[in-house]
């Protein structure tokens, strides 16, 4: 590699790595930063490791080489940490030992004529309580009768639906906020009466997917909607398709008492979209209040480009 090409390679590596690190600091507040922020940590780390190898072997010594390699090492470190915290679970198995409540969430993505097929596939992974985003006709009439298990109850709110082993005592839309051509923010609310006599309160959320809309704008709109349409009480569980990755400015607007599943309680690959190669973790499940995490994992359901989220939760204070 010539000296000129070596210098350009060093500065190019420094610029690319610096842009990714800057995006990690400011997150997806603006359109330009969110495109960089969405690059998965493991992808950035792999690219940086390759850059280090090339620069060490081919670039001559100098400021450009030193800068490129130094920033690339920083990307490897930050990307590796992000990968271990957000993209992969540390537990070898997601199977609970018993006594936990199984909650699932899946974005069926308006299955249309494939509603029955979607329902039959979902039936294989139903939890005790299952929330469905964009269910279409999955929960209606003859279609629902074909796949919803006997003894389970269902409620259909249009943008959200629920299938539960136990009585659903409340199901309603809390509110919505239109963002013009970019889509609509939706908030839903469910309450399930558990055999113990407790009530499991679930908030469902669906956010616009338009990649040209800055997530900072969505965060502001979500904050205003939550203020104008507050839930009737504290939620125990929050589920939904956020269309943003962990660490997003949108996540800061969600109820602070609810926690995403930590990696030491999770198993397998945690990305949820696209299902065939889930590079992005854009669906969320959060738990808090009287409940805490026991296990979490994701499952491929071929009827939708979103993977299903499966969580097992237990009352706070119970043994793990």
């Amino acid at each position: 590699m010539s000296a000129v090409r070596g210098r350009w390679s060093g500065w190019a590596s420094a610029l690319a790595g610096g842009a990714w690190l800057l995006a990690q600091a400011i997150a997806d507040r603006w359109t330009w930063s969110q495109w960089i922020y969405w690059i998965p940590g493991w992808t950035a780390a792999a690219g940086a490791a390759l850059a280090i190898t090339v620069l060490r072997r081919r670039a001559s010594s100098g400021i450009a080489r030193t800068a490129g390699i130094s920033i690339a090492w920083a990307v490897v470190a930050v990307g590796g940490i992000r990968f271990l915290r957000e993209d992969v679970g540390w537990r070898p198995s997601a199977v609970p030992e018993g006594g936990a409540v199984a909650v699932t969430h899946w974005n069926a993505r308006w299955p249309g004529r494939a509603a029955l097929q979607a329902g039959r596939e979902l039936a294989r992974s139903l939890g005790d309580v299952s929330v469905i985003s964009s269910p279409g006709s999955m929960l209606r009439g003859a279609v629902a009768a074909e796949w919803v298990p006997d003894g389970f109850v269902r409620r259909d709110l249009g943008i959200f639906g629920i299938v539960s082993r136990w009585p659903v005592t409340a199901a309603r839309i809390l509110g919505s906020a239109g963002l013009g051509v970019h889509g609509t923010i939706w908030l839903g609310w469910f309450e399930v009466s558990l055999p113990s006599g407790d009530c499991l309160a679930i908030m469902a959320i669906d956010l616009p997917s338009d990649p040209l809309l800055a997530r900072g704008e969505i965060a502001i709109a979500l904050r205003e909607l939550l203020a104008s349409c507050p839930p009737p009480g504290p939620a125990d569980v929050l589920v939904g398709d956020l269309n943003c990755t962990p660490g997003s400015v949108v996540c800061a607007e969600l109820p602070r008492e609810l926690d995403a599943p930590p990696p030491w309680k999770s198993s397998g690959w945690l990305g949820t979209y696209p299902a065939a190669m889930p590079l992005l973790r854009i669906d969320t499940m959060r738990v808090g209040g009287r409940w805490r995490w026991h296990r979490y994992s994701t499952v491929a359901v071929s009827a939708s480009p979103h993977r299903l989220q499966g969580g097992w939760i237990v009352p706070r204070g119970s043994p793990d």
Side-chain angles (χ1 to χ4, degrees):
M1 182 181 288
S2 68
V4 173
R5 290 181 62 189
R7 285 196 296 272
W8 277 109
S9 296
W11 288 124
S13 175
L15 179 61
W20 188 83
L21 291 171
L22 176 62
Q24 305 315 296
I26 63 178
D28 52 0
R29 188 175 307 278
W30 298 286
T31 302
W32 70 266
S33 65
Q34 68 190 21
W35 284 93
I36 304 174
Y37 184 75
W38 289 339
I39 298 174
W42 64 271
T43 304
L50 178 61
I52 292 170
T53 301
V54 171
L55 291 174
R56 278 183 164 176
R57 291 182 177 180
R58 300 184 179 181
S60 57
S61 60
I63 296 176
R65 180 179 184 271
T66 301
I69 291 177
S70 299
I71 292 178
W73 273 119
V75 172
V76 169
V78 175
I81 292 172
R82 181 173 163 183
F83 168 74
L84 291 174
R85 290 182 59 185
E86 300 175 359
D87 296 327
V88 66
W90 302 354
R91 294 191 69 94
S93 173
V95 179
E97 298 177 356
V101 174
V103 179
T104 66
H105 167 260
W106 182 50
N107 186 349
R109 197 80 175 270
W110 303 112
R113 295 182 179 180
L116 179 56
Q117 175 191 349
R120 285 172 172 166
E121 291 192 29
L122 176 60
R124 304 189 189 111
S125 302
L126 272 182
D128 299 316
V129 180
S130 298
V131 178
I132 310 167
S133 297
S134 307
S137 60
M138 288 176 60
L139 299 176
R140 300 173 190 166
V143 173
E146 286 287 328
W147 72 270
V148 175
D150 292 340
F152 278 64
V153 297
R154 66 182 189 271
R155 296 289 186 272
D156 184 3
L157 297 179
I159 186 67
F160 303 116
I162 189 170
V163 178
S164 172
R165 183 185 303 276
W166 304 303
V168 177
T169 56
R172 64 188 180 95
I173 297 295
L174 292 176
S176 63
L179 297 178
V181 297
H182 300 294
T184 302
I185 297 175
W186 291 95
L187 297 176
W189 184 263
F190 300 99
E191 294 180 8
V192 177
S193 179
L194 303 180
S196 63
D198 292 330
C199 172
L200 184 69
I202 304 171
M203 180 186 290
I205 185 170
D206 191 79
L207 301 182
S209 61
D210 188 346
L212 299 180
L213 177 61
R215 269 38 191 176
E217 295 183 36
I218 295 178
I220 293 172
L222 176 60
R223 182 193 314 149
E224 294 173 349
L225 180 60
L226 285 168
S228 61
C229 303
D236 299 307
V237 179
L238 182 146
V239 296
D241 179 3
L242 297 185
N243 281 303
C244 59
T245 55
S248 167
V249 294
V250 170
C251 297
E253 304 303 328
L254 302 176
R256 297 180 183 274
E257 65 272 16
L258 302 179
D259 300 318
W264 55 88
K265 296 283 187 180
S266 306
S267 300
W269 190 258
L270 305 181
T272 61
Y273 183 90
M277 188 179 292
L279 300 177
L280 301 176
R281 188 176 177 183
I282 63 174
D283 300 274
T284 194
M285 182 179 290
R286 293 167 179 256
V287 170
R290 300 164 296 173
W291 299 82
R292 65 172 180 81
W293 283 105
H294 183 61
R295 300 286 189 275
Y296 175 84
S297 65
T298 67
V299 179
V301 182
S302 61
S304 167
H306 289 258
R307 287 173 68 90
L308 175 144
Q309 302 182 91
W312 289 267
I313 63 176
V314 293
R316 193 172 296 277
S318 61
D320 193 6

